[in-house]
Amino acid sequence: MSIVETSADDAKNDATGRFHPNLLGRRTPIAIISAIATTVPAIAVIAVLLVLLSKALPAIKYNGVHFLTSTAWNPGNFYANPVVTNGVEHPILAKYGVWPLLAGTLESSIIALIFALPLSVGAAFIVAKKLPPRLRSIASTFLELLAGIPSVIFGLWGALTLGPILSKHIYPFFAHHAPNIIFFRLFRGNTGNGEGLLTSALVLGIMVIPIIASTTRDLITAVPRLTEEGAAALGFTEWEITRKVTFPWISAGVIGATVLGFARALGETMAVAMVSGAVLGTVPHTIYSTYSTIAAAIVTQLDSALTDATGLAVETLAEAALILMAVTLLANVAARYLVKRVSSTSLPIGKGL
Amino acid sequence: MSYQISNHKKRSTSRRLANGVVLTLSSIALLAVIAPSIWIVFQILHKALPHFGLSVLTKSGVGLDGGLKNEIIGTAVISIGVVIVAGSIGILSGIYLAQYAKGRFASILRAASDILAGIPSIVLGYVGYSALVVGFHWGFSLGAGVITLSVLVMPYIAKTTEVALRQVPINYIEGAEALGFKPTRILSRITLKTALPGITTGLIVAMAISVGETAPLLYTAGYSQNLPKLTITHSPLGYLTYAVWTFYNQPNKTALQLSYDAGMVIMVLILLLIGISRIIVAQTQRHAETRR
């Protein structure tokens, strides 16, 4: 089962898969029922937006523009009488800012890509170019397995296995030897118990590898033979062929897959909630800091937010969810645009399998 | 002359060296990509197997102890519900997108499906909670969980169905029309039949996603240590991913064991589903080759 359809498959579809207009039977019951069913996803998108907007509206009014820049996450005093500001009832002293969560979301996803991109491209290169067919299908099976592991299992492994090992054996080495200069300073400091930015970014990186690697592998296999053979005939080494012929050919698709992986990492919830340390209200200051992302904050905070009788805490989470959705949508649209330039069917890869 | 030759040799050595370095690094990258999947599976087995007994499967949870019977049945009920709800809508919209969709209306619907596929699962969970659990007064329930999860996998089923239908050779359809088949009959007897393996694979993958998802269920299906009641509303039920998420950081040792046990059952179920889908794909590929 190939998760990603290659552009070669597309060309084949175009030649054979288009249906002749008079074979369609446009007014048959099945055509009408299926047309109605197709509107369900559209209705769902509209419903999601409407519910989020209507839920978030009081929070948007109360939190104001400072929501984007503030680092506070203080639900206020639930036991004192609620106060009304800007027409919104809220617990006294409540103050919310999404900046630490937004920063954590972006930072962890970017660090994840820094790990995932080179590993995925290198692995795809070997799988597509060097492995004999039997080994190639075994390697692809492992990629599929990785794509099939649920988020919560990654979280379990990251929190109880990977994190402790890294914080005991690897992080202290970096923390002791990193020079106290700009950038490297981020690697100094308390390495904690393994829950934090770097560990969760590593786990996120592993989770997005199947998306980037399987797309890159399929793209490399779809590069026309002749151009590469021409380069080989000119005496290019394999690396030179890859760098000067193959990569330029596939770069748009690889970037698209990377952005798709980025979008997946942005919205990833369970693994981050389990490995980040789930700390609110502080922007990570070293690479080991505990932090949280928007998605993880929603899942960890909704429970306690429900105890806010004025509803502001729940509404603030809706506002955060809107921001997360905007960022993710932006990344997805960009990715689809880039992937479409090379292949017209991009399956919703990265939805867990 | 000799200088030129040696210079040439030198350059080709450096080129070969670069080639070797890149190949080595890429091979290491491949190992680094493969290693985590093996590590994770073995780690879960290593932690779960030593104390795994049949009672884990046959007893329901009691506090932080007991078994996973309620969660296993809950996961099964939710997955079957998702396959029914998302499967029917997803397959129908796949049929529409592959067969009938044309023009601006179709491209809007296709874009909506793509957008839906990109919405983070926890956002769907939040909306499912506010709309179904609170808004419709369903409470934590099977219905809220199944609908929220269905919205998540629907675009995936639609896409796999569409791709499977598009791969049906036009000759089959033209042949059927030449024999005087009506459009609906062509669809049911020729197109859908030929595309069936692809559609089934999509459904199985959707089932695997339902088994492994957590975020959309936590605030919609809720949790219960009782066996699932087959009522749509006001019936919170347990599921395996809940056990992993809730029990992994409890001070109680039995809780941690349950967490790993649930993780192992999830992995076994997902590996089974992946295996079945691979067998279907392999079977159809073999048939396709012999037909050729």
Side-chain angles (χ1 to χ4, degrees), chain B residues 214-233:
Chain B
T214 321
L217 290 177
L218 285 175
Y219 293 100
T220 53
Y223 179 70
S224 163
Q225 292 196 320
N226 299 323
L227 292 182
K229 285 173 289 206
L230 288 176
T231 46
I232 304 292
T233 57

Side-chain angles (χ1 to χ4, degrees), chain A residues 1-352:
Chain A
M1 179 182 63
S2 151
I3 296 185
V4 182
E5 292 297 313
T6 62
S7 45
D9 282 339
D10 276 357
K12 203 173 67 197
N13 293 348
D14 281 352
T16 58
R18 287 280 152 81
F19 293 91
H20 204 265
N22 63 5
L23 298 179
L24 292 175
R26 292 190 150 270
R27 294 189 191 281
T28 49
I30 182 78
I32 294 160
I33 296 171
S34 68
I36 295 168
T38 313
T39 58
V40 173
I43 294 168
V45 170
I46 295 168
V48 166
L49 279 176
L50 283 182
V51 169
L52 278 186
L53 270 175
S54 66
K55 268 271 164 193
L57 209 58
I60 295 173
K61 265 197 238 160
Y62 176 74
N63 295 323
V65 266
H66 293 301
F67 188 60
L68 289 172
T69 51
S70 165
T71 60
W73 195 274
N74 180 7
N77 186 350
F78 292 176
Y79 302 104
N81 285 332
V83 191
V84 176
T85 314
N86 295 346
V88 182
E89 199 186 23
H90 65 91
I92 194 160
L93 296 177
K95 185 162 168 49
Y96 292 103
V98 81
W99 173 240
L101 297 176
L102 188 59
T105 307
L106 294 172
E107 282 172 12
S108 58
S109 302
I110 289 168
I111 300 172
L113 286 186
I114 294 174
F115 289 115
L117 183 59
L119 287 180
S120 305
V121 172
F125 169 57
I126 292 286
V127 170
K129 289 280 176 189
K130 299 300 287 182
L131 291 186
R134 183 174 290 253
L135 281 180
R136 188 186 305 169
S137 87
I138 292 176
S140 300
T141 307
F142 278 112
L143 272 188
E144 246 173 66
L145 172 62
L146 198 59
I149 297 176
S151 177
V152 76
I153 304 276
F154 275 107
L156 185 66
W157 173 75
L160 300 181
T161 305
L162 184 68
I165 287 179
L166 290 176
S167 70
K168 215 178 259 169
H169 304 292
I170 314 281
Y171 292 168
F173 176 81
F174 287 128
H176 285 301
H177 293 86
N180 191 8
I181 49 173
I182 196 152
F183 178 72
F184 289 102
R185 194 175 290 150
L186 296 173
F187 288 85
R188 296 165 65 87
N190 184 5
T191 57
N193 65 350
E195 288 183 357
L197 184 58
L198 187 53
T199 315
S200 57
L202 272 169
V203 173
L204 280 177
I206 295 170
M207 294 176 80
V208 300
I209 279 174
I211 301 172
I212 308 176
S214 60
T215 312
T216 310
R217 176 201 60 199
D218 293 349
L219 289 167
I220 292 177
T221 349
V223 172
R225 256 266 157 70
L226 275 177
T227 46
E228 290 180 344
E229 280 172 0
L234 290 172
F236 280 31
T237 62
E238 269 167 321
W239 164 232
E240 286 161 350
I241 296 173
T242 311
R243 188 161 54 97
K244 293 181 175 154
V245 180
T246 316
F247 280 169
W249 201 285
I250 65 172
S251 57
V254 175
I255 295 169
T258 308
V259 182
L260 214 55
F262 183 62
R264 162 94 196 268
L266 290 174
E268 190 49 60
T269 312
M270 302 314 294
V272 180
M274 292 164 89
V275 187
S276 62
V279 168
L280 299 162
T282 50
V283 179
H285 55 277
T286 75
I287 198 101
Y288 317 107
S289 299
T290 52
Y291 75 109
S292 192
T293 65
I294 295 179
I298 296 173
V299 85
T300 53
Q301 294 307 304
L302 186 53
D303 230 350
S304 60
L306 294 172
T307 55
D308 182 346
T310 65
L312 181 71
V314 176
E315 289 151 5
T316 301
L317 289 178
E319 192 181 357
L322 269 181
I323 290 169
L324 172 65
M325 235 179 97
V327 179
T328 320
L329 269 186
L330 213 66
N332 268 315
V333 169
R336 275 175 208 287
Y337 172 74
L338 287 166
V339 174
K340 231 162 225 164
R341 276 170 51 184
V342 265
S343 119
S344 66
T345 42
S346 46
L347 282 179
I349 47 174
K351 292 298 290 184

Side-chain angles (χ1 to χ4, degrees), chain A residues 1 5 9 12-13 15-26 28-31 33-35 37-42 44-45 47-48 51-52 55 118-120 122-123 125-127 130-131 137 139-146 148-157 159-162 165 195 206 209 213 235-240 267 269-270 273-275 295 298-303 306 314-315 317-318 321 324-325 328-329 332 336 340 344-349 351-353, chain B residues 15-16 18-19 22-23 25-34 36-41 43-44 47 88-89 92-102 105 108-110 112-127 129-131 134 140 151-152 154-156 159-160 163 165-171 173-174 177 183-184 186-187 191 201 204-205 208-209 211-215 218-219 241 244-245 248 256 259-260 262-264 266-267 270-271 274 277-278 281:
Chain A
M1 179 182 63
E5 292 297 313
D9 282 339
K12 203 173 67 197
N13 293 348
T16 58
R18 287 280 152 81
F19 293 91
H20 204 265
N22 63 5
L23 298 179
L24 292 175
R26 292 190 150 270
T28 49
I30 182 78
I33 296 171
S34 68
T38 313
T39 58
V40 173
V45 170
V48 166
V51 169
L52 278 186
K55 268 271 164 193
L119 287 180
S120 305
F125 169 57
I126 292 286
V127 170
K130 299 300 287 182
L131 291 186
S137 87
S140 300
T141 307
F142 278 112
L143 272 188
E144 246 173 66
L145 172 62
L146 198 59
I149 297 176
S151 177
V152 76
I153 304 276
F154 275 107
L156 185 66
W157 173 75
L160 300 181
T161 305
L162 184 68
I165 287 179
E195 288 183 357
I206 295 170
I209 279 174
F236 280 31
T237 62
E238 269 167 321
W239 164 232
E240 286 161 350
T269 312
M270 302 314 294
M274 292 164 89
V275 187
I298 296 173
V299 85
T300 53
Q301 294 307 304
L302 186 53
D303 230 350
L306 294 172
V314 176
E315 289 151 5
L317 289 178
L324 172 65
M325 235 179 97
T328 320
L329 269 186
N332 268 315
R336 275 175 208 287
K340 231 162 225 164
S344 66
T345 42
S346 46
L347 282 179
I349 47 174
K351 292 298 290 184
L353 199 73
Chain B
R15 286 171 59 199
R16 254 183 291 156
N19 196 41
V22 169
L23 283 181
L25 287 178
S26 299
S27 308
I28 294 170
L30 178 61
L31 290 180
V33 164
I34 288 177
S37 57
I38 302 173
W39 188 2
I40 292 171
V41 171
Q43 181 68 21
I44 302 283
K47 291 283 186 180
S88 52
I89 297 174
L92 280 172
S93 65
I95 291 174
Y96 183 80
L97 291 174
Q99 302 267 53
Y100 307 105
K102 253 186 182 176
F105 181 61
I108 290 174
L109 292 180
R110 208 175 257 126
S113 200
D114 283 351
I115 291 172
L116 192 61
I119 295 178
S121 59
I122 183 61
V123 175
L124 293 179
Y126 182 97
V127 171
Y129 172 78
S130 340
V134 180
F140 291 125
V151 168
L152 182 95
M154 209 184 284
Y156 185 85
K159 201 79 175 187
T160 42
V163 170
L165 286 173
R166 280 180 184 279
Q167 276 167 350
V168 176
I170 188 88
N171 328 18
I173 295 151
E174 284 174 349
E177 204 210 14
T184 316
I186 294 177
L187 182 65
T191 326
T201 314
I204 292 172
V205 173
I209 296 174
V211 169
E213 272 296 347
T214 321
L218 285 175
Y219 293 100
T241 46
V244 179
W245 156 246
Y248 89 101
L256 182 65
S259 183
Y260 273 116
M264 185 171 80
I266 293 170
M267 280 317 299
I270 286 178
L271 288 178
I274 293 182
S277 74
R278 283 192 83 96
V281 170

